[in-house]
């Protein structure tokens, strides 16, 4: 049954234009010589149950009887077996005699009827279950994930017997195994990033403004993978991490410079506009340089590193464009709320003097 299913899978894989070098270990069977032992006849003649197989192994394969040392002391194993010229011929079985329980011997030919039979070339097991792996490579210009999805859709049309299943391996299996332990690592990295930003700015408001660019880059990276057809693989996740680092750096340049301008006495809106104007070119050049350096890797088409490059490129493009609008607006809204909260609480020891109205001035003069 495994051979039949494997043949159907191999035919479908070969028919796909994006595959090459398709290999099916069960395609060509191996021809073995079956001795054809007659257990009932052997027992009738007094031959022990395991004796025929032991003597066959001794005669054809041999058994280590000791070690010979030459005049220089080099050891050589001594193997006892039939002569090399005759032991691979079927007629050599007539020279093998089996001992009986009565003390005599019986020729092997009396209890054996040799014949040729087809057997599987190999038997593979995974978790104690027999398996067969159909392997293939992806042609240049085709995406591994897309080819695998097409084949899996065709495999669903196969009516499998009870107890048999088709499991995806290769890139999909490696991706699932790689993502198994990434959850705690990503959470730890996110908390570490927030801790560094809070230590840098000293409050949650500016940290929130800086971290606000992360969804913008994530959006661009996902769109880039969708347009190019690559999956969110292990290297793609690494690309997201690298892209977030570049985004945070660019956002820190803008937010920190805005805060410095406010400390120098500029108004809130004026500081936001001035910082966006001055820091726009450095941020843009940083993103353009990174995109230009990653473009050869992205267009190479390799399924290992191309997703990483496209994630960073898409994230930088989207964050560079959208952050010019989102980051100043977030800073303006959050800083204005902070300013309103500070104005609502008067400082200790300050006397509030009301502004004189025109009516009060005229009455005093009178």
């Amino acid at each position: 049954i495994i051979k039949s299913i494997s043949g159907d899978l191999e035919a479908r894989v070969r028919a796909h234009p994006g595959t090459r070098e398709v290999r099916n270990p069960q395609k060509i069977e191996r021809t073995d010589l079956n001795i054809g032992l007659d257990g009932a006849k052997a027992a009738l003649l007094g031959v022990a149950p395991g004796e025929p197989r032991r003597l066959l192994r001794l005669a054809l394969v041999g058994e280590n009887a000791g070690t010979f040392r030459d005049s220089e002391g080099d050891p050589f194993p001594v193997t006892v077996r039939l002569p090399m010229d005759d032991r691979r011929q079927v007629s050599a079985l007539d020279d093998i005699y089996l001992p009986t329980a009565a003390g005599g011997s019986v020729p092997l030919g009396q209890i054996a009827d040799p014949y040729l039979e087809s057997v599987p070339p190999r038997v593979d097991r995974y978790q104690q279950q027999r398996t067969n792996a159909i392997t293939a490579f992806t042609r240049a210009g085709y995406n591994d994930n897309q080819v695998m999805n097409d084949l899996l859709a065709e495999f669903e049309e196969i009516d499998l017997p009870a107890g048999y299943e088709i499991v995806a391996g290769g890139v999909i299996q490696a991706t699932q195994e790689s993502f198994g332990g990434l959850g705690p690592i990503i959470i730890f990295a996110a908390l570490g990033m927030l801790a560094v930003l809070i230590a840098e700015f000293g409050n949650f408001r500016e940290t929130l403004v800086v971290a606000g660019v992360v969804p913008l880059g994530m959006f661009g990276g996902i769109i880039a993978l969708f347009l190019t057809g690559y999956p969110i693989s292990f290297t793609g996740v690494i690309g997201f991490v690298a892209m977030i680092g570049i985004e945070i750096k660019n956002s820190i340049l803008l937010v920190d410079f805005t805060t410095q301008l406010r400390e120098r006495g500029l108004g809130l809106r004026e500081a936001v506009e001035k910082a966006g104007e001055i820091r726009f070119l450095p941020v843009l050049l940083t993103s353009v340089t990174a995109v230009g350096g990653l473009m050869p890797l992205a267009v190479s088409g390799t399924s290992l590193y191309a997703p990483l490059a496209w994630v960073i490129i898409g994230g930088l493009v989207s964050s560079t464009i959208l952050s010019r609008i989102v980051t100043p607006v977030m800073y303006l809204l959050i800083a204005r709320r902070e300013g309103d909260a500070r104005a609502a609480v008067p400082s200790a020891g300050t006397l509030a003097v009301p502004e004189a109205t025109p009516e009060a001035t005229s009455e005093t003069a009178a």
Side-chain angles (χ1 to χ4, degrees):
I1 297 178
I2 293 180
K3 180 182 177 181
S4 176
I5 298 175
S6 300
D8 192 1
L9 295 179
E10 180 189 5
R12 294 174 183 267
V13 174
R14 288 185 181 276
H16 196 283
T19 59
R20 61 181 178 89
E21 300 181 26
V22 182
R23 182 175 178 271
N24 178 15
Q26 298 289 341
K27 181 177 181 180
I28 301 177
E29 292 186 344
R30 187 183 67 206
T31 302
D32 285 356
L33 176 64
N34 194 319
I35 301 302
L37 292 174
D38 189 346
K41 190 174 182 179
L44 183 62
L45 295 176
V47 179
E51 197 65 20
R53 292 179 175 82
R54 188 186 69 82
L55 288 178
L56 279 173
R57 184 170 58 252
L58 174 62
L60 302 179
V61 180
E63 186 173 313
N64 190 9
T67 303
F68 170 77
R69 293 184 180 273
D70 58 8
S71 58
E72 298 181 357
D74 295 331
F76 295 92
V78 178
T79 303
V80 179
R81 62 188 178 194
L82 288 178
M84 182 68 71
D85 296 338
D86 301 333
R87 70 186 183 90
R88 296 187 182 275
Q89 300 179 6
V90 180
S91 60
L93 300 177
D94 297 334
D95 299 332
I96 301 176
Y97 288 84
L98 306 176
T100 63
S105 60
V106 176
L108 180 62
Q110 290 189 8
I111 62 173
D113 185 15
Y115 62 92
L116 298 176
E117 65 175 353
S118 297
V119 297
R122 54 187 291 181
V123 177
D124 297 327
R125 294 185 181 273
Y126 179 76
Q127 295 181 353
Q128 300 182 356
Q129 293 184 355
R130 293 189 60 179
T131 61
N132 184 42
I134 309 298
T135 60
F137 291 93
T138 306
R139 294 184 182 274
Y142 286 86
N143 181 262
D144 293 343
N145 188 66
Q146 186 63 40
V147 172
M148 198 65 185
N149 290 336
D150 295 343
L151 293 176
L152 290 177
E154 293 187 13
F155 294 163
E156 292 179 356
E157 302 175 357
I158 301 177
D159 187 14
L160 298 177
Y164 293 86
E165 62 177 347
I166 300 174
V167 180
V171 177
I172 294 181
Q173 183 180 8
T175 301
Q176 294 174 351
E177 294 176 355
S178 300
F179 279 110
L182 279 182
I185 298 177
I186 293 177
I187 294 176
F188 178 78
L191 294 177
M193 180 188 67
L194 291 177
V196 171
L197 292 178
I198 293 174
E200 170 70 20
F201 294 102
N203 57 72
F204 288 96
R205 295 180 179 273
E206 293 183 355
T207 300
L208 181 61
V209 176
V210 173
V213 299
V214 174
L216 306 179
M218 297 285 289
F219 171 76
I222 294 175
I223 293 299
L225 289 179
F226 176 76
L227 294 178
T228 55
Y230 288 102
I232 303 179
S233 58
F234 181 77
T235 55
V237 174
I238 297 177
F240 277 110
V241 175
M243 177 264 299
I244 290 174
I246 301 176
E247 284 183 321
I248 294 295
K249 179 187 74 69
N250 294 339
S251 184
I252 288 176
L253 290 176
L254 181 61
V255 174
D256 184 67
F257 188 63
T258 304
T259 303
Q260 292 181 12
L261 292 180
R262 293 186 62 195
E263 291 176 353
R264 295 175 186 175
L266 269 69
L268 175 59
R269 183 176 294 274
E270 184 180 0
V272 171
E273 294 177 355
K274 191 70 174 179
E277 179 182 353
I278 296 177
R279 290 301 186 188
F280 175 74
L281 186 58
V283 171
L284 179 63
L285 292 179
T286 301
S287 301
V288 171
T289 303
V291 170
L294 291 170
M295 190 57 68
L297 191 62
V299 299
S300 64
T302 58
S303 58
L304 182 60
Y305 297 109
L308 181 146
W310 281 116
V311 164
I312 299 178
I313 291 174
L316 290 180
V317 170
S318 64
S319 64
T320 302
I321 297 175
L322 298 178
S323 63
R324 299 311 97 201
I325 302 173
V326 176
T327 302
V329 172
M330 289 183 62
Y331 189 95
L332 185 63
L333 296 176
I334 293 178
R336 177 177 297 174
R337 292 180 180 178
E338 181 181 3
D340 295 341
R342 291 178 180 177
V345 181
S347 359
T350 302
L351 179 61
V353 180
E355 183 179 358
T357 59
E359 291 81 5
T361 304
S362 59
E363 291 177 358
T364 304

